[in-house]
Amino acid sequence: IKTKLAITASKIAVLCFITASSGTVATPPEPVKRELSRLFRRFANLARYSINFVTLVSMQILVVEDEKRIADLLARTLHEEGHQAVVSGNGREGLAIALSSRFDVIVLDVMLPGMDGFSVVRKLRESRNQTPVLMLTARDAAADVVSGLDSGADDYLAKPFPLEVLLARLRAISRRGDAPRSACLEIGAVKLDPASRSVTRAGEVVNLTPREYKLLELLMRNRGRAV
Ligand code: CA
């Protein structure tokens, strides 16, 4: 990409030089104008691509979603973003795939044939598989959110959702990975240690139920964002 950027920039420079030395700067001929604008567009696209390439690391993503339209859209979008997507339309099959290969993130629908999303994530965690899970819940289904987090999901997204939001959430939860998962979260006097699942406030241990802990962890991980 760097080489292509350099070549495009050189072409622009040469063309500008030729135009300037031929004394037609004020009104460059139409073909030159077109070529220049094509080169500028190419330069901008290459620059954008190189920025995306650096900031978006390609991820291996498992999508378990039985609604074909959504599954296809997700697979296409993830592919366009440079990720690898494996799609399954069945909970039981999705669980088997998740356990047999390594994924960076799992996008998991709740209502699935074979096995529902809550059971899938619960069985994953029982098998000591800590792959981050983004659960797709029905709109406004607060009970789904709580059940999902209780089962061991890391984040949730209510349907229907804008694709940009899904991509942002995937980037956020994949960054947590396995290692950062054990890093302590600290906001003000509150300190949360995911490794030991303990919470302290100003050094004092705070006893929380598993659900309270999970909610607090979710809120702290999403600091400054409405969840
Ligand atoms: Ca479904």
Side-chain angles (χ1 to χ4, degrees):
I1 294 170
K2 258 193 213 166
T3 315
K4 285 181 178 173
L5 271 170
I7 292 172
T8 313
S10 313
K11 282 182 181 172
I12 291 172
V14 169
L15 208 52
C16 286
F17 177 75
I18 293 172
T19 314
S21 53
S22 66
T24 51
V25 183
T27 51
E30 211 40 52
V32 174
K33 265 207 270 185
R34 270 205 303 276
E35 182 60 8
L36 265 177
S37 82
R38 189 188 72 81
L39 286 171
F40 274 123
R41 265 204 312 277
R42 180 166 169 73
F43 189 84
N45 282 339
L46 280 168
R48 196 163 57 225
Y49 183 73
S50 74
I51 289 166
N52 283 346
F53 193 75
V54 171
T55 53
L56 300 179
V57 180
S58 173
M59 290 189 279
Q60 190 79 23
I61 300 170
L62 172 63
V63 176
V64 190
E65 165 64 82
D66 60 318
E67 214 172 310
K68 196 168 174 335
R69 192 182 54 82
I70 298 181
D72 287 349
L73 180 67
L74 286 179
R76 200 168 56 242
T77 307
L78 293 172
H79 183 74
E80 281 168 6
E81 292 289 319
H83 305 303
Q84 305 290 322
V86 174
V87 179
S88 169
N90 181 290
R92 200 168 290 279
E93 182 193 70
L95 175 65
I97 298 173
L99 290 173
S100 63
S101 306
R102 199 196 160 280
F103 291 95
D104 296 298
V105 189
I106 300 172
V107 179
L108 184 62
D109 188 28
V110 173
M111 298 292 286
L112 288 166
M115 184 186 287
D116 67 84
F118 303 135
S119 307
V120 172
V121 74
R122 200 174 301 119
K123 289 201 178 292
L124 264 182
R125 300 301 184 235
E126 279 169 13
S127 309
R128 303 206 165 275
N129 182 310
Q130 295 300 327
T131 308
V133 172
L134 174 68
M135 210 127 202
L136 302 180
T137 65
R139 198 217 290 255
D140 296 335
D144 275 6
V145 173
V146 174
S147 304
L149 295 176
D150 272 356
S151 315
D154 298 79
D155 203 354
Y156 72 92
L157 198 56
K159 290 185 191 175
F161 47 81
L163 284 169
E164 310 81 70
V165 174
L166 175 97
L167 292 170
R169 295 285 185 95
L170 287 180
R171 280 197 293 275
I173 66 169
S174 70
R175 269 201 296 272
R176 294 172 202 165
D178 282 347
R181 194 175 277 264
S182 59
C184 285
L185 301 170
E186 214 168 337
I187 296 178
V190 179
K191 194 169 170 183
L192 181 145
D193 181 1
S196 60
R197 297 176 77 87
S198 60
V199 177
T200 55
R201 185 168 177 272
E204 299 268 322
V205 174
V206 182
N207 289 314
L208 297 175
T209 65
R211 179 178 296 182
E212 286 167 346
Y213 169 84
K214 198 76 199 177
L215 278 171
L216 181 66
E217 184 182 353
L218 178 82
L219 292 171
M220 288 179 77
R221 285 194 191 281
N222 291 286
R223 179 182 192 174
R225 211 179 72 196
V227 292

